[in-house]
Amino acid sequence: MSLFVKKPLAQLLAQAEDNEKGLKRTLGAGNLIALGIGAIIGAGLFVRTAAAAGQAAGPGVTLSFIVAAIGCAFAGLCYAEFAAMIPIAGSAYAYSYVTMGELIAWIIGWALIMEYALGAATVSIAWSEYLNKLFDGRIPYEWCHSPFESFTDSAGVLHTGLLNAPALVILLLLTLLLIKGTQESATVNAIIVFIKVAIVVIFIALGWQFIKPENHTPYLIPEGTAAVTDSAGKVIADYTGVFKHGWGGVLGGAAIVFFAFIGFDAVSTAAQEAKNPKRDMPIGILGSLVICTILYILFGHVLTGVANWKDFVDPEKGREASVAYAISNYMPGYGWLSTAVTVAILAGFSSVILVMLMGQSRIFYTMSNDGLIPKAFGDLHPKYKTPYKANWILFVFVGLFAAFVPGHVAGDLTSFGTLFAFVLVSIGVWILRVKSPNIERPFKTPLVPIVPLLGALVCLGMIVALDGQTLKVAFAWMALGLVVYFLYSRKHSKLKNNQP
């Protein structure tokens, strides 16, 4: 049978309506917007903003957010059409199965592991950084960093990481909460979202008066900017590449901060748990995207105005826990805000990890029901009706990355998985419009095929702007996925074996 056999849309919709065997429908539009904001405002804002400014865009990181938001807006409109039309767990994986066939669905499902699982790992690493900041650096470098990370401090002492223990702790606690239930998780998430949005607004409002115009001049990193080195002469930031300075740096920065926008598509993974998905899914996806984009641009402007972008490269200055650093060093009289921001960020990161783990477990659940991965990933808890085995397997996988892989590596791979998913979802909307024009669409993407094409092109541009090492690892991961598909998934596919 063809590698591109498609799942009938009617079968997918029947799955979505089977409430007795499946996931509980407990989420309203407000829960979904909070879910989106919970995933969007987190490490992307509090960590990747400074990383993009220090490594590629300088103060022009605000422009990077605009470029990334444009790509997200196009892709978000496409996601909204699919999520309203096919309200089932599985997100881009499920949509691709209907429009482009099983092999493409498998590829996107495999890429989504990079998005959600590695996204959770990245944020748990950032959580560890801010926890150490709260404790004034009392956690030894060796126990809150990967074995692949090291730096020489100002005293000439070399520090090398062993294991990121705090990241493992937060992953375990949130896995236990997810197993307890979706509604409980959504309630906790909504409380956290309120706290962290309030902190973001307070930082923007108070930090505005501390902006120094000279920190925004020049607005883009000039060509020929010297590399930054640590005390031992090791290069920690280089600006010779085309995507490391000027307008190229804006695009490079967009690829880095794109990690910050992955929350809105996480909303689509909860479609099978939405009370009224045809109305609520577009509201949740587009509403969370609009709110967060506005906050991102303002936040990036204030952060790079309060502290010089070069501070965000130095491990002994603002490279880690950048927001708390900027407040402590450049906003005199607001020491209390630094502590409050750190606590709120820790809570905010927790909600991001929660949504990421939930999204990945729901994708595993759907892929398992299709026979493409083992049955254990789809087993629901007899009492809580959550995919508890998938949650535990995911904890082990994500925990290994969080404990032993540097945060910037996991973050860039997450961006690749996200962008790749957005490209295929954008193309998928166009394909389904051509092949099945008469299907009921509660929400329609405007200006098809222009919007899907622009979404795919902008996201492809940002994939190209990722660094070469990230792309090599990403393509190696995708190649491994193809091996798994041909050795296991193709043989066990329920659709190919005509199983219900």
Side-chain angles (χ1 to χ4, degrees):
M1 190 174 282
S2 169
L3 294 173
F4 300 99
V5 59
K6 298 178 180 67
K7 180 181 281 191
L9 183 60
Q11 180 182 334
L12 207 59
L13 294 175
Q15 274 183 254
E17 293 302 320
D18 190 355
N19 294 333
E20 292 300 315
K21 296 179 182 177
L23 302 163
K24 289 183 181 179
R25 293 197 179 277
T26 59
L27 306 178
N31 291 130
L32 293 170
I33 289 177
L35 204 65
I37 295 173
I40 296 172
I41 295 183
L45 186 63
F46 300 123
V47 175
R48 304 297 280 178
T49 303
Q55 295 171 23
V61 69
T62 52
L63 302 175
S64 297
F65 276 126
I66 292 172
V67 172
I70 290 171
C72 280
F74 293 139
L77 289 166
C78 297
Y79 263 97
E81 176 170 320
F82 269 135
M85 182 173 62
I86 310 172
I88 190 167
S91 184
Y93 160 78
Y95 311 151
S96 300
Y97 217 152
V98 172
T99 57
M100 290 176 274
E102 184 173 280
L103 179 60
I104 302 299
W106 169 263
I107 289 171
I108 197 62
W110 193 255
L112 286 173
I113 296 174
M114 275 198 288
E115 176 175 352
Y116 293 116
L118 294 192
T122 304
V123 182
S124 67
I125 293 166
W127 191 92
S128 174
E129 291 177 5
Y130 272 89
L131 183 71
N132 201 17
K133 178 69 175 179
L134 186 65
F135 292 154
D136 291 324
R138 291 191 185 95
I139 303 174
Y141 184 94
E142 289 73 14
W143 293 106
C144 58
H145 286 84
S146 152
F148 299 101
E149 291 178 288
S150 65
F151 92 102
T152 304
D153 63 24
S154 54
V157 179
L158 175 66
H159 298 270
T160 302
L162 294 173
L163 168 76
N164 199 326
L168 281 176
V169 171
I170 189 62
L171 285 170
L172 175 61
L173 293 175
L174 293 175
T175 295
L176 293 171
L177 177 61
L178 272 174
I179 290 171
K180 179 70 169 63
T182 302
Q183 182 59 51
E184 291 83 354
S185 302
T187 301
V188 171
N189 178 67
I191 295 168
I192 293 173
V193 165
F194 175 79
I195 294 170
K196 69 180 177 181
V197 169
I199 284 293
V200 170
V201 172
I202 290 170
F203 173 73
I204 292 170
L206 296 179
W208 202 275
Q209 62 186 306
F210 292 96
I211 291 176
K212 297 177 182 176
E214 58 267 30
N215 284 337
H216 285 153
T217 306
Y219 204 64
L220 305 180
I221 296 176
E223 186 175 1
T225 298
V228 178
T229 59
D230 66 11
S231 300
K234 176 185 174 184
V235 174
I236 52 179
D238 178 64
Y239 304 102
T240 55
V242 66
F243 297 115
K244 296 291 187 179
H245 63 268
W247 285 101
V250 170
L251 188 58
I256 294 172
V257 299
F258 203 84
F259 176 88
F261 286 97
I262 64 178
F264 81 84
D265 66 310
V267 175
S268 67
T269 68
Q272 205 166 337
E273 292 155 278
K275 293 176 184 175
N276 185 5
K278 293 182 179 181
R279 178 183 72 90
D280 295 344
M281 292 311 296
I283 293 173
I285 291 171
L286 298 175
S288 59
L289 180 58
V290 169
I291 292 168
C292 292
T293 299
I294 294 169
L295 290 174
Y296 274 19
I297 293 169
L298 293 172
F299 185 91
H301 180 75
V302 172
L303 184 64
T304 55
V306 170
N308 190 282
W309 64 270
K310 291 181 180 177
D311 285 359
F312 301 132
V313 183
D314 192 335
E316 294 194 82
K317 290 185 177 179
R319 185 170 181 175
E320 297 183 3
S322 51
V323 184
Y325 164 81
I327 296 170
S328 299
N329 289 274
Y330 298 106
M331 293 174 58
Y334 287 96
W336 61 268
L337 181 60
S338 176
T339 302
V341 162
T342 302
V343 172
I345 288 173
L346 286 170
F349 284 173
S350 301
S351 73
V352 176
I353 300 167
L354 189 73
V355 175
M356 297 289 170
L357 293 177
M358 186 181 103
Q360 183 62 64
S361 64
R362 272 47 179 180
I363 290 166
F364 279 159
Y365 170 79
T366 304
M367 293 175 76
S368 174
N369 285 341
D370 291 333
L372 300 185
I373 58 176
K375 180 178 177 294
F377 286 93
D379 288 346
L380 296 181
H381 194 283
K383 179 179 179 182
Y384 302 126
K385 294 294 182 182
T386 55
Y388 69 111
K389 290 183 181 177
N391 284 129
W392 280 121
I393 295 168
L394 191 56
F395 166 69
V396 174
F397 178 79
V398 174
L400 287 172
F401 268 90
F404 299 112
V405 176
H408 68 91
V409 175
D412 288 345
L413 287 169
T414 300
S415 292
F416 176 91
T418 309
L419 288 162
F420 194 57
F422 287 4
V423 169
L424 290 185
V425 167
S426 297
I427 294 171
V429 161
W430 186 16
I431 290 174
L432 203 62
R433 284 285 189 96
V434 173
K435 295 196 171 183
S436 304
N438 298 320
I439 294 175
E440 180 192 356
R441 290 174 169 85
F443 177 88
K444 283 191 172 184
T445 303
L447 300 174
V448 174
I450 296 173
V451 166
L453 273 175
L454 288 174
L457 289 173
V458 172
C459 293
L460 278 172
M462 283 186 276
I463 287 176
V464 171
L466 288 167
D467 73 87
Q469 190 62 34
T470 297
L471 293 176
K472 287 178 186 176
V473 175
F475 286 123
W477 172 257
M478 299 311 295
L480 175 63
L482 290 175
V483 172
V484 173
Y485 175 77
F486 285 106
L487 290 182
Y488 178 89
S489 307
R490 192 181 181 195
K491 297 175 185 176
H492 294 83
S493 167
K494 290 183 179 180
L495 186 62
K496 287 187 175 177
N497 294 319
N498 296 315
Q499 297 177 28

